[in-house]
Amino acid sequence: MDIAALSMALSQMNVRQEASISVMKKSMDQAESGGQDLIKMLEQSVQPHIGGSVNVKG
């Protein structure tokens, strides 16, 4: 086998793996952010006094 070709193939494989890991990290960060937003929404919805009455005085 040609060492130069083997080196190029290994380098391309490393670049692909790094790109794949970067995409995975980005999607994990987005999922975590979405989960935190969902938790905030759920915490707000547990408060029964919010939205329980309407002020109609003008």
Coordinates of all heavy atoms in Angstrom, one line a residue:
M1 N 0.8 -1.2 0.0 CA 0.0 0.0 0.0 C 0.9 1.2 0.0 O 2.0 1.3 0.6 CB -0.9 0.0 1.2 CG -2.2 -0.5 1.1 SD -3.2 0.1 2.5 CE -4.8 0.1 1.7
D2 N 0.3 2.2 -0.6 CA 1.0 3.5 -0.6 C 0.9 4.2 0.7 O -0.3 4.4 1.2 CB 0.5 4.3 -1.8 CG 1.2 5.6 -2.0 OD1 2.3 5.8 -1.5 OD2 0.6 6.5 -2.7
I3 N 1.9 4.6 1.4 CA 1.9 5.3 2.7 C 1.2 6.6 2.6 O 0.4 7.0 3.5 CB 3.3 5.4 3.3 CG1 3.8 4.0 3.6 CG2 3.3 6.3 4.5 CD1 5.1 3.9 4.2
A4 N 1.4 7.3 1.5 CA 0.8 8.7 1.4 C -0.8 8.5 1.3 O -1.5 9.2 1.9 CB 1.3 9.4 0.1
A5 N -1.2 7.5 0.5 CA -2.7 7.3 0.4 C -3.3 6.8 1.7 O -4.4 7.2 2.1 CB -2.9 6.2 -0.7
L6 N -2.5 6.0 2.4 CA -3.0 5.5 3.7 C -3.1 6.7 4.7 O -4.0 6.8 5.5 CB -2.1 4.5 4.2 CG -2.4 3.8 5.5 CD1 -3.8 3.1 5.4 CD2 -1.4 2.7 5.9
S7 N -2.1 7.6 4.6 CA -2.1 8.8 5.5 C -3.3 9.7 5.2 O -3.9 10.2 6.1 CB -0.8 9.5 5.3 OG -0.8 10.7 6.1
M8 N -3.6 9.9 3.9 CA -4.7 10.7 3.5 C -6.0 10.1 3.9 O -6.9 10.8 4.4 CB -4.7 10.9 2.0 CG -3.6 11.7 1.4 SD -3.8 13.4 1.7 CE -5.1 13.7 0.5
A9 N -6.2 8.8 3.8 CA -7.4 8.1 4.2 C -7.6 8.2 5.7 O -8.7 8.5 6.2 CB -7.3 6.6 3.8
L10 N -6.5 8.1 6.5 CA -6.6 8.2 7.9 C -7.0 9.6 8.3 O -7.8 9.8 9.2 CB -5.3 7.8 8.6 CG -5.2 7.8 10.1 CD1 -6.3 6.8 10.7 CD2 -3.8 7.4 10.6
S11 N -6.4 10.6 7.7 CA -6.7 12.0 7.9 C -8.1 12.3 7.6 O -8.8 13.0 8.4 CB -5.8 12.9 7.1 OG -6.1 14.2 7.3
Q12 N -8.7 11.8 6.5 CA -10.1 12.1 6.2 C -11.0 11.4 7.2 O -12.0 12.0 7.5 CB -10.3 11.5 4.7 CG -9.7 12.4 3.7 CD -10.0 11.8 2.3 OE1 -10.4 10.7 2.1 NE2 -9.6 12.6 1.2
M13 N -10.6 10.2 7.6 CA -11.4 9.5 8.6 C -11.5 10.3 9.9 O -12.5 10.4 10.5 CB -10.9 8.1 8.9 CG -11.7 7.3 9.8 SD -11.1 5.6 10.0 CE -9.6 6.0 11.0
N14 N -10.3 10.9 10.3 CA -10.3 11.7 11.5 C -11.2 12.9 11.4 O -11.9 13.3 12.3 CB -8.9 12.1 11.9 CG -8.1 10.9 12.4 OD1 -8.7 9.9 12.9 ND2 -6.8 11.0 12.3
V15 N -11.1 13.6 10.2 CA -11.9 14.8 10.0 C -13.4 14.4 10.1 O -14.2 15.2 10.7 CB -11.5 15.4 8.7 CG1 -12.5 16.5 8.3 CG2 -10.1 16.0 8.7
R16 N -13.8 13.3 9.4 CA -15.2 12.9 9.5 C -15.6 12.6 10.9 O -16.8 13.0 11.3 CB -15.4 11.7 8.6 CG -15.3 12.0 7.1 CD -15.5 10.7 6.3 NE -15.3 11.0 4.9 CZ -15.0 10.1 4.0 NH1 -14.9 8.8 4.4 NH2 -14.8 10.4 2.8
Q17 N -14.8 12.0 11.6 CA -15.2 11.6 13.0 C -15.3 12.9 13.9 O -16.2 13.0 14.6 CB -14.1 10.7 13.6 CG -14.4 10.2 15.0 CD -13.4 9.3 15.6 OE1 -12.3 9.2 15.0 NE2 -13.8 8.5 16.6
E18 N -14.4 13.9 13.7 CA -14.5 15.1 14.4 C -15.7 15.9 14.1 O -16.4 16.5 14.9 CB -13.2 16.0 14.2 CG -12.0 15.4 14.9 CD -10.7 16.2 14.5 OE1 -10.9 17.4 14.0 OE2 -9.6 15.7 14.8
A19 N -16.1 15.9 12.8 CA -17.3 16.6 12.3 C -18.5 15.9 12.9 O -19.5 16.6 13.4 CB -17.4 16.6 10.8
S20 N -18.5 14.6 12.9 CA -19.7 13.8 13.5 C -19.8 14.1 15.0 O -20.9 14.3 15.5 CB -19.5 12.4 13.3 OG -20.5 11.6 13.9
I21 N -18.7 14.2 15.7 CA -18.7 14.5 17.1 C -19.2 15.9 17.4 O -20.0 16.2 18.3 CB -17.4 14.3 17.8 CG1 -17.1 12.8 17.8 CG2 -17.3 14.9 19.2 CD1 -15.7 12.4 18.2
S22 N -18.8 16.8 16.5 CA -19.3 18.2 16.7 C -20.8 18.3 16.5 O -21.4 19.1 17.2 CB -18.5 19.1 15.7 OG -17.2 19.2 16.0
V23 N -21.3 17.7 15.5 CA -22.7 17.7 15.2 C -23.5 17.1 16.4 O -24.5 17.6 16.8 CB -23.1 17.0 13.9 CG1 -24.5 16.8 13.8 CG2 -22.5 17.8 12.7
M24 N -22.9 16.0 16.9 CA -23.6 15.3 18.1 C -23.6 16.2 19.3 O -24.6 16.3 20.0 CB -22.9 14.0 18.4 CG -23.6 13.2 19.4 SD -22.7 11.7 20.0 CE -21.8 11.2 18.6
K25 N -22.5 16.9 19.6 CA -22.4 17.8 20.7 C -23.4 18.9 20.5 O -24.1 19.3 21.5 CB -21.0 18.4 20.8 CG -20.0 17.4 21.4 CD -18.6 18.1 21.6 CE -17.6 17.2 22.1 NZ -16.3 17.8 22.3
K26 N -23.5 19.5 19.3 CA -24.5 20.6 19.1 C -25.9 20.1 19.3 O -26.7 20.8 19.9 CB -24.3 21.1 17.6 CG -25.2 22.3 17.3 CD -24.8 23.5 18.1 CE -23.9 24.3 17.2 NZ -23.6 25.6 17.8
S27 N -26.3 18.9 18.8 CA -27.6 18.4 19.0 C -27.9 18.1 20.5 O -29.0 18.3 21.0 CB -27.9 17.2 18.2 OG -27.1 16.1 18.6
M28 N -26.9 17.6 21.2 CA -27.0 17.4 22.7 C -27.3 18.7 23.4 O -28.1 18.8 24.3 CB -25.8 16.7 23.2 CG -25.8 15.2 22.8 SD -24.2 14.4 23.3 CE -24.4 14.4 25.1
D29 N -26.5 19.7 23.0 CA -26.7 21.1 23.6 C -28.1 21.6 23.4 O -28.7 22.2 24.3 CB -25.7 22.1 23.1 CG -24.3 21.8 23.6 OD1 -24.1 21.0 24.6 OD2 -23.3 22.3 23.0
Q30 N -28.6 21.4 22.2 CA -29.9 21.9 21.9 C -31.0 21.1 22.6 O -32.0 21.7 23.1 CB -30.2 21.8 20.3 CG -29.4 22.8 19.5 CD -29.6 22.6 18.0 OE1 -30.2 21.6 17.6 NE2 -29.2 23.6 17.3
A31 N -30.8 19.8 22.8 CA -31.7 19.0 23.5 C -31.7 19.4 25.0 O -32.8 19.4 25.6 CB -31.4 17.5 23.4
E32 N -30.6 19.7 25.5 CA -30.5 20.1 26.9 C -31.2 21.4 27.1 O -31.9 21.6 28.1 CB -29.0 20.2 27.4 CG -28.8 20.6 28.8 CD -27.4 20.7 29.2 OE1 -26.5 20.4 28.4 OE2 -27.1 21.0 30.4
S33 N -31.0 22.3 26.2 CA -31.6 23.6 26.3 C -33.1 23.5 26.2 O -33.9 24.1 26.9 CB -31.1 24.5 25.1 OG -31.8 25.8 25.1
G34 N -33.6 22.7 25.3 CA -35.0 22.4 25.2 C -35.6 21.8 26.4 O -36.7 22.1 26.8
G35 N -34.8 20.9 27.0 CA -35.3 20.3 28.3 C -35.4 21.3 29.4 O -36.3 21.3 30.2
Q36 N -34.4 22.2 29.5 CA -34.4 23.2 30.5 C -35.6 24.2 30.3 O -36.3 24.6 31.3 CB -33.1 24.0 30.5 CG -32.0 23.2 31.0 CD -30.6 23.9 30.9 OE1 -30.6 25.0 30.3 NE2 -29.6 23.3 31.4
D37 N -35.9 24.5 29.1 CA -37.1 25.3 28.8 C -38.4 24.6 29.1 O -39.3 25.3 29.7 CB -37.1 25.7 27.3 CG -36.0 26.7 26.9 OD1 -35.4 27.3 27.8 OD2 -35.7 26.8 25.7
L38 N -38.5 23.4 28.9 CA -39.6 22.6 29.2 C -39.8 22.5 30.7 O -40.9 22.7 31.2 CB -39.5 21.2 28.7 CG -40.7 20.2 28.9 CD1 -42.0 20.8 28.3 CD2 -40.4 18.9 28.3
I39 N -38.7 22.4 31.5 CA -38.8 22.3 32.9 C -39.3 23.7 33.4 O -40.2 23.8 34.3 CB -37.5 22.0 33.5 CG1 -37.1 20.5 33.3 CG2 -37.4 22.3 35.0 CD1 -35.7 20.1 33.7
K40 N -38.8 24.8 32.9 CA -39.3 26.1 33.3 C -40.8 26.3 33.0 O -41.5 26.8 33.9 CB -38.5 27.2 32.5 CG -37.1 27.4 33.0 CD -36.4 28.5 32.2 CE -34.9 28.6 32.6 NZ -34.2 29.5 31.7
M41 N -41.2 25.8 31.9 CA -42.7 25.9 31.6 C -43.5 25.1 32.5 O -44.6 25.5 33.0 CB -42.9 25.5 30.1 CG -42.4 26.5 29.1 SD -42.6 26.0 27.4 CE -43.9 24.8 27.3
L42 N -43.0 23.9 32.9 CA -43.8 23.1 33.8 C -43.8 23.7 35.2 O -44.8 23.6 35.9 CB -43.1 21.7 33.8 CG -43.4 20.8 32.6 CD1 -42.5 19.5 32.7 CD2 -44.8 20.5 32.4
E43 N -42.7 24.3 35.6 CA -42.7 24.9 36.9 C -43.6 26.1 37.0 O -44.3 26.3 38.0 CB -41.2 25.4 37.3 CG -40.3 24.3 37.6 CD -38.8 24.8 37.7 OE1 -38.6 26.0 37.4 OE2 -38.0 24.0 38.2
Q44 N -43.8 26.8 35.9 CA -44.7 27.9 35.9 C -46.1 27.5 35.9 O -47.0 28.1 36.5 CB -44.4 28.8 34.7 CG -43.1 29.6 34.8 CD -42.8 30.4 33.5 OE1 -43.6 30.3 32.5 NE2 -41.8 31.1 33.6
S45 N -46.4 26.3 35.3 CA -47.8 25.8 35.2 C -48.3 25.2 36.5 O -49.5 25.0 36.7 CB -47.9 24.8 34.1 OG -47.2 23.6 34.4
V46 N -47.4 24.9 37.4 CA -47.7 24.3 38.7 C -48.3 25.4 39.7 O -48.9 25.0 40.6 CB -46.5 23.6 39.3 CG1 -46.8 23.0 40.6 CG2 -46.1 22.5 38.4
Q47 N -48.1 26.6 39.4 CA -48.5 27.7 40.3 C -50.0 28.0 40.0 O -50.3 28.7 39.0 CB -47.7 28.9 40.1 CG -46.2 28.6 40.4 CD -45.3 29.8 40.0 OE1 -45.7 30.7 39.4 NE2 -44.0 29.7 40.4
P48 N -50.9 27.5 40.8 CA -52.4 27.6 40.5 C -52.9 29.1 40.7 O -53.9 29.4 40.1 CB -53.0 26.7 41.6 CG -52.0 26.6 42.7 CD -50.7 26.8 42.1
H49 N -52.2 29.9 41.4 CA -52.7 31.3 41.6 C -52.5 32.2 40.3 O -53.1 33.2 40.2 CB -52.1 32.0 42.8 CG -50.6 32.1 42.7 ND1 -49.7 31.1 42.9 CD2 -49.8 33.2 42.3 CE1 -48.5 31.5 42.8 NE2 -48.5 32.8 42.4
I50 N -51.6 31.7 39.4 CA -51.4 32.5 38.2 C -52.5 32.2 37.2 O -52.7 31.0 36.9 CB -50.0 32.2 37.6 CG1 -48.9 32.7 38.6 CG2 -49.8 32.8 36.3 CD1 -47.5 32.4 38.2
G51 N -53.1 33.2 36.7 CA -54.1 33.0 35.7 C -55.5 32.5 36.3 O -56.4 32.2 35.5
G52 N -55.6 32.5 37.6 CA -56.8 32.0 38.2 C -57.9 33.0 38.2 O -59.1 32.7 38.4
S53 N -57.6 34.3 38.1 CA -58.6 35.4 38.1 C -58.3 36.4 37.1 O -57.2 36.5 36.6 CB -58.7 36.0 39.5 OG -57.4 36.6 39.8
V54 N -59.4 37.1 36.7 CA -59.2 38.2 35.7 C -59.6 39.5 36.3 O -60.7 39.6 36.9 CB -60.1 37.8 34.5 CG1 -60.0 38.9 33.4 CG2 -59.8 36.5 33.9
N55 N -58.8 40.5 36.2 CA -59.1 41.8 36.7 C -59.9 42.6 35.6 O -59.3 42.9 34.5 CB -57.8 42.5 37.0 CG -58.0 43.9 37.6 OD1 -59.2 44.3 37.8 ND2 -56.9 44.6 37.9
V56 N -61.2 42.8 35.9 CA -62.0 43.5 34.9 C -62.3 44.9 35.2 O -63.0 45.6 34.5 CB -63.3 42.7 34.7 CG1 -63.1 41.4 34.1 CG2 -64.0 42.6 36.0
K57 N -61.7 45.4 36.3 CA -61.8 46.9 36.6 C -61.1 47.7 35.6 O -60.0 47.4 35.2 CB -61.3 47.1 38.0 CG -62.2 46.4 39.1 CD -61.6 46.7 40.5 CE -62.4 46.0 41.5 NZ -61.9 46.2 42.9
G58 N -61.7 48.8 35.2 CA -61.0 49.6 34.2 C -60.8 50.9 34.6 O -60.5 51.8 35.0

